[in-house]
Amino acid sequence: MADVVKKHSISSEPAQKMVDRAVAKARELGVSENVAILDDGGNLKAISAQTMRNVLKRNSVRFAAVLLLALASFVSAPNSAPAGAPEYHDQQPGFYRLRVGDLEVTALYDGTGLFDPQWLNGTKATMDGVVKGLHEDPHMLDVVDSGFLVNTGKQLILVDAGAGTWWGGGALGRLAGSLRSAGYTPEEVDLVLVTHLHSDHIGGLTTQDGNRVFPNAEVYVAKAESDFWLSPEIAARAPKDAQPFFQSAQAIAAPYIKAGKWHTFSGSESIVEGMQLVPLPGHTPGHTGYEFSSKGQKILFWGDIVHAQRVQLQHPEVTAIFDIDQTAAAATRNQLLARLARENVLIATPHTSLFPALGRLRKEASGYSWVPVAYTDRWDEK
């Protein structure tokens, strides 16, 4: 501490107590117990606490008071405060893993976007409620985009790959970083199971310049899905505002097709031991879920059964403009939600309000509530 003080008049407080009080205050503040003063000749001197006690034998009261005044100036002087710690405005790439039987399942954060209420179709009363809800909570339609990694002990299986740079305007595309943060690399992924070919689910497969992000992975998708989005003839007949969906799907799939790593399925054929294909019609022509079972436990990766979680779980009849067959999408959702709530199946959802995007359903009145997994830093092997 280099505060410079001049001689001041002092109180009648006993000098020894004044010095002790000053030293205690210095320690409390975490500062040096030394103080710089000007002597009678105007020279700067550094005086220690021990020296303070020694000089009690002469002129002690004056020096003790000077020490207290110096400490007071330390507290009040703006230039004497330590520099503040810098702020860091980024977050750690997100992942969360849990065990399902013998499977290790890792949720991988891809980013958070906004879901436009105009993308929802419902009754006037329901949509008026959505508008009111947004006024009360502007984050009601925030949507976390996620992919998932399943480690079977023999294979690393990615279910959906996030948006990459193909969707979200820069808000998404963090899945590869989350994967690395979780201890894996894209090169280690053996299989990619795709729920459907919208770019927010497959954009992470391919860079904008046509390189495969997962060079060693075999990609699997329903034949009806692949045939629809990769067809130049269907694309040519599609409405103008749907053209980007076809263009991105074809560009993202191209390098895997060229490398012989693009595969389709059309029935219930076995792709992975312990995994069942679950057709989920309505959202897209080949929309498919993947249900893994191990030691009596199940987890369903359900794709786009829900887009706006806080709306569609309470009102399963509400659809999204991205649903190609909205009647079928609503029917599929109603049937599936009832089964999952009844069977207490763990759900992995690419679109949710919170991360990690893992939870279960609870039946409530005419709808359902979401019960998220409880975050813990423990890894329970049991």
Side-chain angles (χ1 to χ4, degrees):
M1 179 171 66
D3 297 277
V4 180
V5 296
K6 295 184 178 180
K7 293 183 288 183
H8 294 270
S9 60
I10 48 83
S11 70
S12 59
E13 181 179 1
Q16 179 65 57
K17 291 183 178 180
M18 293 177 71
V19 171
D20 290 342
R21 187 158 61 90
V23 170
K25 186 63 177 177
R27 289 172 179 166
E28 177 185 334
L29 294 170
V31 301
S32 171
E33 297 172 10
N34 295 342
V35 59
I37 67 169
L38 291 177
D39 63 12
D40 293 335
N43 299 312
L44 184 67
K45 291 185 176 181
I47 307 298
S48 69
Q50 185 57 50
T51 302
M52 286 291 98
R53 292 188 174 93
N54 292 339
V55 299
L56 283 173
K57 296 178 180 179
R58 67 179 191 283
N59 209 10
S60 56
V61 176
R62 183 185 71 178
F63 279 99
V66 165
L67 179 58
L68 285 172
L69 289 168
L71 285 170
S73 68
F74 176 85
V75 174
S76 61
N79 293 333
S80 62
E87 292 184 354
Y88 297 96
H89 299 148
D90 56 351
Q91 300 283 15
Q92 177 71 15
F95 70 92
Y96 182 77
R97 52 179 144 240
L98 50 71
R99 186 172 290 284
V100 179
D102 286 332
L103 305 174
E104 177 199 75
V105 177
T106 305
L108 300 170
Y109 179 78
D110 192 52
T112 301
L114 298 175
F115 196 86
D116 192 321
Q118 295 184 7
W119 294 344
L120 295 173
N121 294 316
T123 65
K124 184 179 186 303
T126 299
M127 298 314 299
D128 286 347
V130 171
V131 172
K132 180 181 178 182
L134 280 171
H135 282 299
E136 297 172 354
D137 180 4
H139 297 288
M140 187 179 81
L141 293 183
D142 285 6
V143 177
V144 173
D145 205 48
S146 299
F148 303 90
L149 187 73
V150 180
N151 187 342
T152 68
K154 298 178 181 179
Q155 294 176 306
L156 285 180
I157 303 168
L158 186 67
V159 183
D160 285 340
T165 58
W166 298 84
W167 180 268
L172 309 179
R174 291 160 175 75
L175 185 141
S178 297
L179 178 71
R180 291 187 177 94
S181 184
Y184 299 101
T185 66
E187 290 77 15
E188 293 178 289
V189 174
D190 299 300
L191 300 177
V192 180
L193 304 178
V194 175
T195 61
H196 62 295
L197 295 185
H198 283 167
S199 55
D200 56 329
H201 294 257
I202 61 169
L205 290 175
T206 306
T207 64
Q208 286 285 344
D209 55 1
N211 291 319
R212 286 176 286 142
V213 175
F214 303 95
N216 300 313
E218 308 290 331
V219 180
Y220 285 84
V221 62
K223 186 176 187 301
E225 188 75 5
S226 185
D227 288 350
F228 180 81
W229 294 107
L230 304 188
S231 167
E233 293 76 22
I234 296 175
R237 299 194 303 269
K240 184 177 181 180
D241 57 358
Q243 292 294 326
F245 290 93
F246 288 90
Q247 293 164 2
S248 61
Q250 292 168 16
I252 292 164
Y256 292 90
I257 294 172
K258 182 178 180 180
K261 291 182 173 294
W262 188 266
H263 309 280
T264 62
F265 53 81
S266 56
S268 58
E269 58 261 43
S270 176
I271 299 172
V272 178
E273 182 181 354
M275 187 274 288
Q276 179 182 353
L277 301 173
V278 183
L280 300 171
H283 180 55
T284 59
H287 188 227
T288 302
Y290 303 95
E291 188 170 82
F292 285 76
S293 301
S294 177
K295 289 189 172 181
Q297 300 180 40
K298 293 181 179 181
I299 182 170
L300 174 65
F301 302 87
W302 72 2
D304 279 3
I305 285 295
V306 164
H307 292 86
Q309 186 184 74
R310 292 172 63 181
V311 176
Q312 290 178 293
L313 290 185
Q314 288 294 316
H315 302 278
E317 74 282 359
V318 172
T319 58
I321 63 172
F322 306 109
D323 296 329
I324 288 180
D325 185 336
Q326 302 205 2
T327 300
T332 296
R333 182 165 42 255
N334 271 302
Q335 294 168 10
L336 185 66
L337 298 186
R339 176 177 79 83
L340 297 177
R342 184 174 60 253
E343 298 179 4
N344 197 35
V345 174
L346 182 62
I347 302 161
T349 172
H351 303 308
T352 185
S353 300
L354 301 170
F355 185 84
L358 298 160
R360 291 177 169 83
L361 294 177
R362 178 181 295 141
K363 187 73 174 75
E364 286 189 356
S366 60
Y368 301 85
S369 63
W370 178 255
V371 183
V373 296
Y375 183 91
T376 175
D377 60 356
R378 292 184 56 188
W379 178 252
D380 191 352
E381 294 290 345
K382 296 181 180 180

Short mmCIF file of all heavy atoms in Angstrom, two decimals, residues 117-157:
data_model
loop_
_atom_site.label_atom_id
_atom_site.label_comp_id
_atom_site.label_asym_id
_atom_site.label_seq_id
_atom_site.Cartn_x
_atom_site.Cartn_y
_atom_site.Cartn_z
N PRO A 117 -44.26 -18.65 -33.16
CA PRO A 117 -45.62 -19.13 -32.89
C PRO A 117 -46.46 -19.27 -34.16
O PRO A 117 -47.42 -20.05 -34.19
CB PRO A 117 -46.20 -18.08 -31.95
CG PRO A 117 -45.35 -16.87 -32.13
CD PRO A 117 -43.98 -17.39 -32.45
N GLN A 118 -46.10 -18.54 -35.22
CA GLN A 118 -46.84 -18.66 -36.48
C GLN A 118 -46.57 -20.00 -37.18
O GLN A 118 -47.25 -20.33 -38.15
CB GLN A 118 -46.48 -17.49 -37.40
CG GLN A 118 -46.91 -16.15 -36.86
CD GLN A 118 -46.63 -15.01 -37.83
OE1 GLN A 118 -46.22 -15.23 -38.97
NE2 GLN A 118 -46.84 -13.78 -37.37
N TRP A 119 -45.60 -20.75 -36.69
CA TRP A 119 -45.33 -22.07 -37.24
C TRP A 119 -46.26 -23.14 -36.65
O TRP A 119 -46.21 -24.30 -37.04
CB TRP A 119 -43.88 -22.48 -36.98
CG TRP A 119 -42.88 -21.63 -37.70
CD1 TRP A 119 -43.11 -20.80 -38.74
CD2 TRP A 119 -41.48 -21.54 -37.42
NE1 TRP A 119 -41.95 -20.18 -39.15
CE2 TRP A 119 -40.93 -20.62 -38.36
CE3 TRP A 119 -40.62 -22.13 -36.50
CZ2 TRP A 119 -39.57 -20.28 -38.37
CZ3 TRP A 119 -39.28 -21.80 -36.50
CH2 TRP A 119 -38.76 -20.88 -37.44
N LEU A 120 -47.10 -22.74 -35.68
CA LEU A 120 -48.01 -23.67 -35.04
C LEU A 120 -49.43 -23.51 -35.59
O LEU A 120 -49.86 -22.40 -35.91
CB LEU A 120 -48.03 -23.45 -33.52
CG LEU A 120 -46.73 -23.75 -32.77
CD1 LEU A 120 -46.86 -23.32 -31.32
CD2 LEU A 120 -46.37 -25.24 -32.86
N ASN A 121 -50.15 -24.61 -35.66
CA ASN A 121 -51.55 -24.60 -36.09
C ASN A 121 -52.42 -25.19 -34.98
O ASN A 121 -52.22 -26.34 -34.56
CB ASN A 121 -51.73 -25.44 -37.36
CG ASN A 121 -51.02 -24.82 -38.56
OD1 ASN A 121 -51.09 -23.62 -38.78
ND2 ASN A 121 -50.33 -25.66 -39.32
N GLY A 122 -53.36 -24.40 -34.49
CA GLY A 122 -54.25 -24.86 -33.45
C GLY A 122 -55.53 -24.05 -33.47
O GLY A 122 -55.71 -23.15 -34.30
N THR A 123 -56.42 -24.34 -32.55
CA THR A 123 -57.66 -23.56 -32.47
C THR A 123 -57.33 -22.13 -32.06
O THR A 123 -56.27 -21.85 -31.50
CB THR A 123 -58.62 -24.18 -31.45
OG1 THR A 123 -58.02 -24.08 -30.14
CG2 THR A 123 -58.91 -25.63 -31.76
N LYS A 124 -58.27 -21.23 -32.33
CA LYS A 124 -58.05 -19.83 -31.97
C LYS A 124 -57.83 -19.68 -30.46
O LYS A 124 -56.95 -18.93 -30.03
CB LYS A 124 -59.24 -18.98 -32.41
CG LYS A 124 -59.04 -17.48 -32.15
CD LYS A 124 -60.22 -16.68 -32.61
CE LYS A 124 -59.96 -15.17 -32.48
NZ LYS A 124 -59.61 -14.78 -31.10
N ALA A 125 -58.60 -20.42 -29.68
CA ALA A 125 -58.46 -20.32 -28.23
C ALA A 125 -57.07 -20.77 -27.78
O ALA A 125 -56.43 -20.13 -26.94
CB ALA A 125 -59.54 -21.15 -27.54
N THR A 126 -56.59 -21.86 -28.36
CA THR A 126 -55.27 -22.37 -28.00
C THR A 126 -54.18 -21.39 -28.41
O THR A 126 -53.26 -21.09 -27.63
CB THR A 126 -55.01 -23.73 -28.66
OG1 THR A 126 -55.98 -24.67 -28.19
CG2 THR A 126 -53.62 -24.24 -28.33
N MET A 127 -54.27 -20.87 -29.63
CA MET A 127 -53.24 -19.96 -30.11
C MET A 127 -53.29 -18.62 -29.38
O MET A 127 -52.25 -17.99 -29.17
CB MET A 127 -53.37 -19.77 -31.62
CG MET A 127 -53.17 -21.07 -32.42
SD MET A 127 -51.72 -22.04 -31.90
CE MET A 127 -50.40 -20.87 -32.21
N ASP A 128 -54.47 -18.17 -28.98
CA ASP A 128 -54.56 -16.96 -28.16
C ASP A 128 -53.84 -17.19 -26.83
O ASP A 128 -53.18 -16.29 -26.30
CB ASP A 128 -56.02 -16.59 -27.90
CG ASP A 128 -56.69 -15.99 -29.12
OD1 ASP A 128 -55.98 -15.63 -30.08
OD2 ASP A 128 -57.94 -15.88 -29.12
N GLY A 129 -53.97 -18.41 -26.30
CA GLY A 129 -53.27 -18.75 -25.07
C GLY A 129 -51.76 -18.75 -25.25
O GLY A 129 -51.01 -18.36 -24.35
N VAL A 130 -51.30 -19.18 -26.43
CA VAL A 130 -49.87 -19.16 -26.72
C VAL A 130 -49.35 -17.73 -26.75
O VAL A 130 -48.30 -17.41 -26.18
CB VAL A 130 -49.57 -19.88 -28.05
CG1 VAL A 130 -48.11 -19.67 -28.46
CG2 VAL A 130 -49.89 -21.37 -27.94
N VAL A 131 -50.09 -16.85 -27.42
CA VAL A 131 -49.69 -15.45 -27.51
C VAL A 131 -49.63 -14.83 -26.11
O VAL A 131 -48.68 -14.12 -25.76
CB VAL A 131 -50.66 -14.66 -28.41
CG1 VAL A 131 -50.37 -13.16 -28.34
CG2 VAL A 131 -50.56 -15.16 -29.85
N LYS A 132 -50.63 -15.11 -25.30
CA LYS A 132 -50.64 -14.60 -23.92
C LYS A 132 -49.46 -15.15 -23.13
O LYS A 132 -48.80 -14.43 -22.37
CB LYS A 132 -51.96 -14.97 -23.24
CG LYS A 132 -52.06 -14.47 -21.80
CD LYS A 132 -53.38 -14.89 -21.17
CE LYS A 132 -53.45 -14.42 -19.71
NZ LYS A 132 -54.71 -14.87 -19.06
N GLY A 133 -49.19 -16.44 -23.31
CA GLY A 133 -48.08 -17.06 -22.60
C GLY A 133 -46.74 -16.45 -22.98
O GLY A 133 -45.86 -16.28 -22.13
N LEU A 134 -46.59 -16.09 -24.26
CA LEU A 134 -45.34 -15.46 -24.70
C LEU A 134 -45.15 -14.08 -24.10
O LEU A 134 -44.03 -13.64 -23.85
CB LEU A 134 -45.31 -15.38 -26.23
CG LEU A 134 -44.93 -16.66 -26.96
CD1 LEU A 134 -45.16 -16.52 -28.45
CD2 LEU A 134 -43.46 -17.01 -26.69
N HIS A 135 -46.26 -13.36 -23.87
CA HIS A 135 -46.16 -12.05 -23.21
C HIS A 135 -45.68 -12.22 -21.77
O HIS A 135 -44.90 -11.41 -21.27
CB HIS A 135 -47.51 -11.33 -23.24
CG HIS A 135 -47.83 -10.70 -24.55
ND1 HIS A 135 -47.06 -9.71 -25.12
CD2 HIS A 135 -48.84 -10.93 -25.44
CE1 HIS A 135 -47.57 -9.34 -26.28
NE2 HIS A 135 -48.65 -10.08 -26.50
N GLU A 136 -46.12 -13.29 -21.13
CA GLU A 136 -45.72 -13.54 -19.74
C GLU A 136 -44.33 -14.15 -19.65
O GLU A 136 -43.59 -13.88 -18.70
CB GLU A 136 -46.74 -14.47 -19.08
CG GLU A 136 -48.14 -13.87 -18.99
CD GLU A 136 -49.17 -14.88 -18.51
OE1 GLU A 136 -48.82 -16.07 -18.36
OE2 GLU A 136 -50.33 -14.47 -18.27
N ASP A 137 -43.97 -14.95 -20.63
CA ASP A 137 -42.66 -15.61 -20.64
C ASP A 137 -42.13 -15.63 -22.07
O ASP A 137 -42.47 -16.51 -22.86
CB ASP A 137 -42.77 -17.04 -20.11
CG ASP A 137 -41.42 -17.76 -20.11
OD1 ASP A 137 -40.40 -17.13 -20.45
OD2 ASP A 137 -41.40 -18.96 -19.77
N PRO A 138 -41.29 -14.65 -22.44
CA PRO A 138 -40.78 -14.57 -23.82
C PRO A 138 -39.97 -15.79 -24.25
O PRO A 138 -39.73 -15.98 -25.44
CB PRO A 138 -39.90 -13.31 -23.79
CG PRO A 138 -40.39 -12.52 -22.63
CD PRO A 138 -40.85 -13.52 -21.61
N HIS A 139 -39.55 -16.61 -23.29
CA HIS A 139 -38.74 -17.79 -23.63
C HIS A 139 -39.58 -19.06 -23.74
O HIS A 139 -39.03 -20.16 -23.82
CB HIS A 139 -37.65 -17.99 -22.58
CG HIS A 139 -36.66 -16.86 -22.52
ND1 HIS A 139 -35.71 -16.64 -23.50
CD2 HIS A 139 -36.50 -15.87 -21.60
CE1 HIS A 139 -34.99 -15.58 -23.19
NE2 HIS A 139 -35.45 -15.09 -22.05
N MET A 140 -40.89 -18.92 -23.74
CA MET A 140 -41.76 -20.09 -23.75
C MET A 140 -41.52 -20.99 -24.95
O MET A 140 -41.65 -22.21 -24.87
CB MET A 140 -43.22 -19.65 -23.71
CG MET A 140 -44.21 -20.80 -23.54
SD MET A 140 -45.93 -20.26 -23.47
CE MET A 140 -46.30 -20.06 -25.22
N LEU A 141 -41.17 -20.41 -26.09
CA LEU A 141 -40.96 -21.20 -27.31
C LEU A 141 -39.49 -21.35 -27.68
O LEU A 141 -39.17 -21.73 -28.81
CB LEU A 141 -41.74 -20.59 -28.48
CG LEU A 141 -43.27 -20.65 -28.37
CD1 LEU A 141 -43.92 -20.08 -29.63
CD2 LEU A 141 -43.75 -22.07 -28.13
N ASP A 142 -38.59 -21.07 -26.74
CA ASP A 142 -37.18 -21.38 -26.98
C ASP A 142 -37.04 -22.88 -27.19
O ASP A 142 -37.68 -23.69 -26.48
CB ASP A 142 -36.32 -20.96 -25.80
CG ASP A 142 -36.13 -19.45 -25.73
OD1 ASP A 142 -36.75 -18.74 -26.53
OD2 ASP A 142 -35.36 -18.99 -24.87
N VAL A 143 -36.22 -23.27 -28.14
CA VAL A 143 -36.07 -24.69 -28.47
C VAL A 143 -34.59 -25.07 -28.47
O VAL A 143 -33.78 -24.48 -29.19
CB VAL A 143 -36.68 -25.01 -29.85
CG1 VAL A 143 -36.44 -26.48 -30.20
CG2 VAL A 143 -38.17 -24.72 -29.86
N VAL A 144 -34.26 -26.04 -27.64
CA VAL A 144 -32.91 -26.59 -27.62
C VAL A 144 -32.83 -27.69 -28.68
O VAL A 144 -33.70 -28.56 -28.75
CB VAL A 144 -32.57 -27.19 -26.24
CG1 VAL A 144 -31.23 -27.92 -26.29
CG2 VAL A 144 -32.54 -26.10 -25.19
N ASP A 145 -31.83 -27.62 -29.53
CA ASP A 145 -31.61 -28.63 -30.57
C ASP A 145 -30.52 -29.58 -30.07
O ASP A 145 -29.45 -29.13 -29.61
CB ASP A 145 -31.16 -27.96 -31.87
CG ASP A 145 -31.49 -28.81 -33.09
OD1 ASP A 145 -32.62 -29.28 -33.19
OD2 ASP A 145 -30.59 -28.99 -33.94
N SER A 146 -30.77 -30.88 -30.16
CA SER A 146 -29.83 -31.87 -29.62
C SER A 146 -29.71 -33.07 -30.54
O SER A 146 -30.61 -33.38 -31.32
CB SER A 146 -30.29 -32.37 -28.24
OG SER A 146 -30.37 -31.33 -27.30
N GLY A 147 -28.58 -33.74 -30.44
CA GLY A 147 -28.39 -35.06 -31.00
C GLY A 147 -27.99 -35.97 -29.85
O GLY A 147 -27.79 -35.52 -28.72
N PHE A 148 -27.83 -37.27 -30.13
CA PHE A 148 -27.58 -38.22 -29.06
C PHE A 148 -26.58 -39.28 -29.51
O PHE A 148 -26.62 -39.74 -30.65
CB PHE A 148 -28.88 -38.89 -28.62
CG PHE A 148 -29.93 -37.91 -28.19
CD1 PHE A 148 -30.83 -37.40 -29.12
CD2 PHE A 148 -29.99 -37.46 -26.89
CE1 PHE A 148 -31.79 -36.47 -28.75
CE2 PHE A 148 -30.95 -36.53 -26.50
CZ PHE A 148 -31.84 -36.02 -27.43
N LEU A 149 -25.72 -39.67 -28.59
CA LEU A 149 -24.73 -40.71 -28.86
C LEU A 149 -25.03 -41.91 -27.98
O LEU A 149 -25.20 -41.77 -26.76
CB LEU A 149 -23.32 -40.19 -28.59
CG LEU A 149 -22.18 -41.13 -29.01
CD1 LEU A 149 -22.05 -41.15 -30.53
CD2 LEU A 149 -20.87 -40.71 -28.37
N VAL A 150 -25.10 -43.09 -28.59
CA VAL A 150 -25.32 -44.33 -27.86
C VAL A 150 -24.06 -45.17 -27.97
O VAL A 150 -23.64 -45.52 -29.07
CB VAL A 150 -26.53 -45.11 -28.41
CG1 VAL A 150 -26.72 -46.40 -27.61
CG2 VAL A 150 -27.79 -44.26 -28.37
N ASN A 151 -23.48 -45.48 -26.82
CA ASN A 151 -22.31 -46.37 -26.78
C ASN A 151 -22.79 -47.73 -26.31
O ASN A 151 -23.16 -47.91 -25.14
CB ASN A 151 -21.26 -45.81 -25.83
CG ASN A 151 -19.96 -46.59 -25.87
OD1 ASN A 151 -19.92 -47.73 -26.33
ND2 ASN A 151 -18.88 -45.99 -25.37
N THR A 152 -22.81 -48.70 -27.21
CA THR A 152 -23.29 -50.04 -26.86
C THR A 152 -22.20 -50.91 -26.24
O THR A 152 -22.48 -52.02 -25.79
CB THR A 152 -23.83 -50.76 -28.11
OG1 THR A 152 -22.74 -51.06 -28.99
CG2 THR A 152 -24.88 -49.91 -28.82
N GLY A 153 -20.98 -50.42 -26.25
CA GLY A 153 -19.84 -51.23 -25.84
C GLY A 153 -19.14 -51.84 -27.04
O GLY A 153 -17.97 -52.22 -26.96
N LYS A 154 -19.87 -51.92 -28.16
CA LYS A 154 -19.30 -52.44 -29.40
C LYS A 154 -19.29 -51.38 -30.49
O LYS A 154 -18.42 -51.40 -31.37
CB LYS A 154 -20.11 -53.64 -29.89
CG LYS A 154 -20.12 -54.82 -28.93
CD LYS A 154 -21.00 -55.95 -29.47
CE LYS A 154 -21.04 -57.13 -28.53
NZ LYS A 154 -21.92 -58.23 -29.02
N GLN A 155 -20.27 -50.49 -30.46
CA GLN A 155 -20.40 -49.47 -31.49
C GLN A 155 -20.75 -48.12 -30.86
O GLN A 155 -21.38 -48.05 -29.80
CB GLN A 155 -21.51 -49.83 -32.49
CG GLN A 155 -21.24 -51.06 -33.34
CD GLN A 155 -22.44 -51.39 -34.22
OE1 GLN A 155 -23.56 -51.53 -33.73
NE2 GLN A 155 -22.21 -51.49 -35.53
N LEU A 156 -20.33 -47.06 -31.56
CA LEU A 156 -20.77 -45.71 -31.23
C LEU A 156 -21.80 -45.30 -32.27
O LEU A 156 -21.51 -45.25 -33.47
CB LEU A 156 -19.60 -44.73 -31.25
CG LEU A 156 -18.62 -44.79 -30.07
CD1 LEU A 156 -17.52 -43.74 -30.26
CD2 LEU A 156 -19.33 -44.56 -28.76
N ILE A 157 -23.01 -45.01 -31.79
CA ILE A 157 -24.13 -44.74 -32.68
C ILE A 157 -24.66 -43.34 -32.41
O ILE A 157 -25.08 -43.04 -31.28
CB ILE A 157 -25.26 -45.77 -32.47
CG1 ILE A 157 -24.72 -47.19 -32.68
CG2 ILE A 157 -26.43 -45.49 -33.41
CD1 ILE A 157 -25.68 -48.27 -32.21
#
